Amino acid sequence: MQEKKSNQQLLSLAEVPAGRYYIVALEPGFICGRLRRLGVKVGDTVQVIKPGPGPIIFLKGNMRIGIGWGLACRILVKPVEENRENL
Amino acid sequence: MGTGVQDSGQAGGGKQGESLMEVVKVALAGSPNTGKSTVFNALTGSHQRIGNWPGVTVEKMEGSYEWEGVTYQVVDLPGTYDFCAHTLDEKIARDYLLKEKPDVVVVVLNSCNLETNLYLLILVLEMGLRVVVALNMFDKACEQGLKIDYKRLGSILKVIFVPTVATRLIGIEELKKSISLALNQPLPLPPVNYGEKVEGLLREVEESVKHFPLPYPTRQVALRLAENDEEMKEWLKQHDSSGRVKMLLESLKEIVQDPEKFFWEKRYGFSHGLVMECTSLESNRQARVDFTNRLDRILTHPWAGLVVFMFLLALVFEIVFQWSSPFQVFLAGVFNLMAHSVRFLLKSVGAPDWLISFFTDGFFNGVGSVVSFLPNIFLLFLFFAALEDSGYMARVAFITDPVMHRLGLHGRSAISMVLGFGCNVPAILSTRTLESTRDRYLTILINPFMSCSARLPVYLLFCGVFFPRYQGAIVVSLYLIGVIMAVLTARIFAWLCFKEESTPLIMELPPYNVPVLRNMLNSAWYRTFLFLRKAGTVILISMLVVWLLGWLPPGSEYASRHSFLGRFGAFLAPVLKPAGFGFWEAAVALTCGLVAKEAVIGVLGTLYGGAASLNQVLGTVFTPVSAYSFLLMTLLYLPCLATIAAIKQEAGAKWAAVSIIWSLLVGWSAATIFYQLASLM
């Protein structure tokens, strides 16, 4: 999954700083199913409040979701334009 | 929607006619963090714990209320996001809704988080149950500038929506009225259409399964099968001998590829559409969100968060000890005074010795030494309620997850462990929110090592006698040793019995709230009441049994070496000798601790003549080293009966037996090793 990043600006949720991101891809299986229950899917915009290392907190709408670092590695995101300069 | 007062008794519907004679069954469903338990409290006025972390409603809570002469029996279902039976909670909620078929389901939604919450509402509507929606936390949505056209939502879904603020009892009367109105409404139609082809296939599946012994209504069976529900797949294997249903499901897969995803997307798309149609953001006022964000930056920081957590726990225990000690001394004094007065009174009327002893030794000294610790218990649970209500408890799971994961546990195990400091029984029940059996069983198994509040009185009593100056340090050391033993147990059993990895953490974190004092008091009172009831029943009975065995056989001196009690204790005592307390009184006290840990001091009180003189006598029979060794034993040696029952209920008799044997082994070994090493020095 790591090799997908850089030139396309795809990063895993585990390695990005606080800011707003689009979810680009989710690893099928466990993570997809669990996030689905919380209403999170590919294409959603999320706001990372507490970045890694350690577990990550992000906001989806008004819902605050805490997720382990290992799982966050399997969520690929792309920064939303407005905070590109922060990256 | 929901306008015009109707006398529910006059309504002509058959359902209403029946319900006048019997009780109307109402179920409360909703996702975690919607304030469902608060709505339940507001409806029924019952004393129930409410919490912010997911899945606090683990026990089946029931209550009732009267409305216009009709009794409404309300069941609070566990908070879930879905009904696909991934967790025990989801299965409990689903089975209740589909098998018990409540007359009305109140679906509680968090107004600030409609999109996700509406998903659950759609699932309940698909079950074909009458629904009333409580749009809870409506004030917070308004604060954030979110305008919800709930009347429009109601007319689209053909369901009554009632805005509520359950913490302030706003909208509760309207909710009760709407529940009675809903009884006369026709059953709802499924809100989401899955398209001609899929609907056609679903109908065919319904046709094919309708002759099987169905666990649920046919439409639900068809949907669950289509969604690849594990439990339903097993059921199908037993009944679908012709393989026709399997074939239909295969052709569904050809149409939609990933059926699970397909159904979710359809429902979610529908709820997204509803939100777009019926809500608007008037102005973006995010003060509360910002506040929570700022707080989370500190409280969930990788190491600062852990430091704050440790500090908060230490603070809670410090306050509990400091604040409650005057009350506790006072209560002990009151019981002592009562014992003396009763002795004097009975003596003056010439009552026989055994009767005097029954009241003073058996009742006042035994139960009194336990009840005097009531203030500690109350305060401890009050602070725990505050931690839960404020939303902090969910962060505990979050910040401890990396550590817990390395130890082979789950972040949520930490919540159960902290709750275990209060009482092991609700702590063990709280593991139901854990998805994997492995995580659940491990968390259950280690919980008895978390030092519950019932063990606290024993520590305080011994510390007061032997370590008055180092009371805090000694108590903290015991709690820490409990945690260390729990962690070691987890490691050992993970290695022995559960080879697979623990499931990763993913959870909703509620926003921070100022805890509502009423809720905290309710919760603390409820737990204190359970403690009092325990003191009045099982502890009282065990004290009286101890007292009786102390008197028998007739002719022996009370509580002497020659009484039955003395003989029993003397039989066990040699086993305890290497641990430094090989005398029969200690053996009897520890045996009775099986009933409830508080009973350890209750029995010592009975045997050594009451709370007041207990301090002096203990100083003569224990040394500081053997006292600490005795405390180690009390901490680790056996879960109480209620805890063993909880383990058996949640994990089965095998694990209950494992827990008993393991804890006896650990307790005895720890006490013996400590005593032998400390004696060498």
Side-chain angles (χ1 to χ4, degrees):
Chain A
M1 205 157 284
Q2 294 291 321
E3 59 268 24
K4 279 189 194 171
K5 65 173 204 184
S6 66
N7 53 358
Q8 297 170 329
Q9 264 218 316
L10 281 189
L11 300 155
S12 87
L13 196 65
E15 54 187 335
V16 295
R20 289 162 66 79
Y21 301 89
Y22 294 117
I23 297 182
V24 180
L26 294 174
E27 191 180 276
F30 179 86
I31 170 100
C32 205
R34 292 307 169 276
L35 280 175
R36 200 180 275 166
R37 276 147 171 249
L38 299 172
V40 180
K41 58 187 182 303
V42 171
D44 283 347
T45 313
V46 296
Q47 188 184 351
V48 175
I49 301 294
K50 193 233 152 239
I56 282 112
I57 300 179
F58 64 90
L59 275 176
K60 196 244 157 178
N62 265 325
M63 197 183 233
R64 186 173 297 267
I65 296 164
I67 180 169
W69 191 83
L71 278 189
C73 287
R74 296 180 231 166
I75 302 175
L76 291 184
V77 294
K78 202 173 86 177
V80 172
E81 291 300 314
E82 63 194 28
N83 70 332
R84 180 173 277 184
E85 64 270 22
N86 299 338
L87 289 165
Chain B
M1 287 280 116
T3 51
V5 182
Q6 254 190 336
D7 184 354
S8 57
Q10 288 171 5
K15 188 79 219 169
Q16 188 64 43
E18 286 164 28
S19 62
L20 268 181
M21 273 161 272
E22 47 187 84
V23 179
V24 178
K25 278 197 289 183
V26 179
L28 275 186
S31 297
N33 306 317
T34 53
K36 191 168 58 64
S37 300
T38 322
V39 173
F40 176 74
N41 275 338
L43 274 178
T44 62
S46 106
H47 299 299
Q48 191 222 358
R49 283 153 62 73
I50 72 142
N52 269 334
W53 48 277
V56 71
T57 324
V58 283
E59 294 163 285
K60 185 179 171 191
M61 295 299 299
E62 281 182 297
S64 66
Y65 68 89
E66 299 264 325
W67 179 260
E68 292 177 340
V70 182
T71 306
Y72 292 79
Q73 194 89 44
V74 189
V75 173
D76 190 13
L77 299 177
T80 59
Y81 296 102
D82 203 333
F83 294 121
C84 51
H86 276 303
T87 63
L88 200 59
D89 275 351
E90 288 181 356
K91 192 174 154 43
I92 292 171
R94 168 168 110 184
D95 282 357
Y96 186 84
L97 289 174
L98 289 171
K99 290 179 177 164
E100 301 287 319
K101 294 199 184 69
D103 299 313
V104 179
V105 183
V106 176
V107 179
V108 184
L109 307 184
N110 178 347
S111 302
C112 305
N113 195 4
L114 270 188
E115 203 170 288
T116 319
N117 284 187
L118 279 170
Y119 184 84
L120 196 84
L121 172 63
I122 293 168
L123 290 179
V124 178
L125 287 172
E126 282 182 344
M127 290 177 177
L129 296 161
R130 285 185 183 83
V131 167
V132 172
V133 177
L135 263 182
N136 200 28
M137 307 187 191
F138 199 73
D139 55 337
K140 288 186 179 146
C142 294
E143 268 171 37
Q144 289 177 17
L146 188 68
K147 193 165 181 278
I148 304 170
D149 187 351
Y150 59 90
K151 291 192 174 158
R152 182 148 169 69
L153 269 173
S155 68
I156 294 173
L157 291 170
K158 309 219 167 13
V159 172
I160 307 174
F161 275 67
V162 185
T164 59
V165 185
T167 46
R168 288 189 273 143
L169 306 178
I170 296 171
I172 299 303
E173 290 302 295
E174 182 69 23
L175 186 63
K176 287 181 182 172
K177 191 169 87 188
S178 305
I179 293 169
S180 78
L181 286 175
L183 284 170
N184 298 320
Q185 291 195 329
L187 289 172
L189 295 169
V192 185
N193 189 309
Y194 295 108
E196 217 171 300
K197 275 187 184 166
V198 175
E199 288 289 347
L201 267 173
L202 284 175
R203 272 194 299 275
E204 276 187 68
V205 174
E206 281 185 61
E207 254 331 283
S208 317
V209 297
K210 74 178 183 195
H211 305 297
F212 301 160
L214 294 169
Y216 307 129
T218 46
R219 169 84 183 176
Q220 273 298 312
V221 170
L223 270 173
R224 292 289 155 199
L225 282 170
E227 285 181 72
N228 260 329
D229 186 289
E230 290 298 326
E231 206 181 282
M232 291 309 293
K233 275 203 290 200
E234 282 304 307
W235 171 86
L236 188 69
K237 266 187 208 157
Q238 292 166 17
H239 301 287
D240 186 31
S241 47
S242 67
R244 175 166 162 72
V245 179
K246 204 168 170 224
M247 205 184 69
L248 287 169
L249 294 175
E250 286 301 321
S251 42
L252 177 78
K253 264 186 203 152
E254 277 167 30
I255 304 172
V256 299
Q257 276 87 42
D258 182 350
E260 242 175 292
K261 190 173 163 214
F262 168 81
F263 285 101
W264 180 81
E265 275 178 353
K266 281 280 177 192
R267 288 180 196 129
Y268 208 79
F270 183 73
S271 78
H272 181 72
L274 280 176
V275 170
M276 286 291 143
E277 181 78 18
C278 305
T279 67
S280 57
L281 197 60
E282 284 196 320
S283 61
N284 202 348
R285 280 170 277 172
Q286 293 278 323
R288 192 155 158 267
V289 176
D290 288 343
F291 170 71
T292 296
N293 289 352
R294 272 202 294 274
L295 217 52
D296 262 345
R297 255 170 233 149
I298 306 163
L299 296 183
T300 64
H301 188 273
W303 58 263
L306 277 176
V307 172
V308 173
F309 170 53
M310 295 294 168
F311 175 76
L312 270 177
L313 265 192
L315 188 73
V316 165
F317 282 106
E318 179 63 23
I319 294 176
V320 167
F321 297 145
Q322 293 300 333
W323 289 6
S324 55
S325 99
F327 295 103
Q328 184 213 322
V329 170
F330 172 76
L331 274 179
V334 168
F335 273 98
N336 202 24
L337 188 72
M338 279 157 79
H340 279 296
S341 319
V342 169
R343 184 189 295 272
F344 176 76
L345 209 74
L346 287 174
K347 263 205 174 133
S348 64
V349 295
D353 276 355
W354 65 266
L355 191 70
I356 298 173
S357 166
F358 171 83
F359 278 107
T360 55
D361 299 324
F363 186 80
F364 287 109
N365 292 344
V367 177
S369 20
V370 176
V371 173
S372 63
F373 288 94
L374 206 70
N376 301 66
I377 310 282
F378 180 80
L379 276 176
L380 188 66
F381 281 113
L382 192 71
F383 283 111
F384 275 3
L387 289 183
E388 278 181 36
D389 258 17
S390 63
Y392 184 71
M393 210 60 123
R395 269 70 182 183
V396 171
F398 185 81
I399 52 174
T400 54
D401 187 63
V403 182
M404 299 305 269
H405 210 75
R406 239 165 269 157
L407 299 173
L409 290 161
H410 190 275
R412 283 202 182 141
S413 310
I415 296 182
S416 299
M417 288 168 79
V418 172
L419 288 180
F421 287 140
C423 175
N424 297 135
V425 175
I428 284 170
L429 298 184
S430 78
T431 61
R432 287 185 193 170
T433 52
L434 283 161
E435 278 169 45
S436 87
T437 316
R438 169 202 183 279
D439 293 345
R440 269 196 80 210
Y441 284 11
L442 276 181
T443 310
I444 288 172
L445 200 61
I446 65 172
N447 208 279
F449 292 127
M450 304 310 290
S451 183
C452 67
S453 55
R455 278 166 256 190
L456 192 57
V458 190
Y459 306 159
L460 293 183
L461 176 74
F462 276 78
C463 284
V465 178
F466 296 99
F467 320 101
R469 291 177 65 190
Y470 306 104
Q471 180 160 335
I474 295 289
V475 173
V476 168
S477 76
L478 287 163
Y479 276 89
L480 279 181
I481 290 170
V483 173
I484 293 168
M485 287 304 171
V487 164
L488 285 178
T489 302
R491 289 302 295 166
I492 291 169
F493 281 88
W495 175 69
L496 276 178
C497 315
F498 303 100
K499 303 284 183 203
E500 70 264 46
E501 280 277 293
S502 71
T503 27
L505 173 91
I506 176 163
M507 67 189 299
E508 184 188 350
L509 300 170
Y512 290 107
N513 276 317
V514 178
V516 183
L517 188 66
R518 180 164 48 95
N519 287 337
M520 284 164 58
L521 289 174
N522 257 356
S523 166
W525 163 243
Y526 176 67
R527 288 291 158 198
T528 312
F529 165 75
L530 290 185
F531 171 82
L532 253 184
R533 196 176 65 181
K534 193 163 68 164
T537 50
V538 284
I539 295 177
L540 177 63
I541 290 168
S542 64
M543 293 304 113
L544 295 182
V545 168
V546 167
W547 171 83
L548 191 67
L549 290 176
W551 265 97
L552 294 174
S556 63
E557 193 191 335
Y558 173 66
S560 69
R561 174 83 173 66
H562 306 287
S563 62
F564 281 153
L565 198 64
R567 289 182 212 177
F568 171 75
F571 173 72
L572 279 185
V575 185
L576 301 175
K577 200 165 170 43
F581 39 88
F583 38 92
W584 67 269
E585 291 94 336
V588 172
L590 286 172
T591 309
C592 293
L594 176 66
V595 178
K597 296 276 171 130
E598 305 93 323
V600 171
I601 50 165
V603 170
L604 290 176
T606 307
L607 295 180
Y608 289 140
S613 55
L614 192 54
N615 290 3
Q616 290 144 25
V617 184
L618 282 181
T620 60
V621 290
F622 282 94
T623 64
V625 172
S626 69
Y628 193 78
S629 160
F630 185 77
L631 290 182
L632 274 180
M633 186 73 174
T634 309
L635 163 71
L636 302 168
Y637 78 113
L638 257 188
C640 70
L641 279 181
T643 307
I644 294 172
I647 298 175
K648 181 174 170 286
Q649 179 195 323
E650 296 300 305
K654 191 183 105 188
W655 287 107
V658 168
S659 175
I660 292 172
I661 295 166
W662 176 250
S663 57
L664 273 176
L665 199 69
V666 170
W668 184 84
S669 313
T672 304
I673 292 170
F674 169 80
Y675 182 73
Q676 296 300 336
L677 286 180
S679 308
L680 285 178
M681 281 190 248

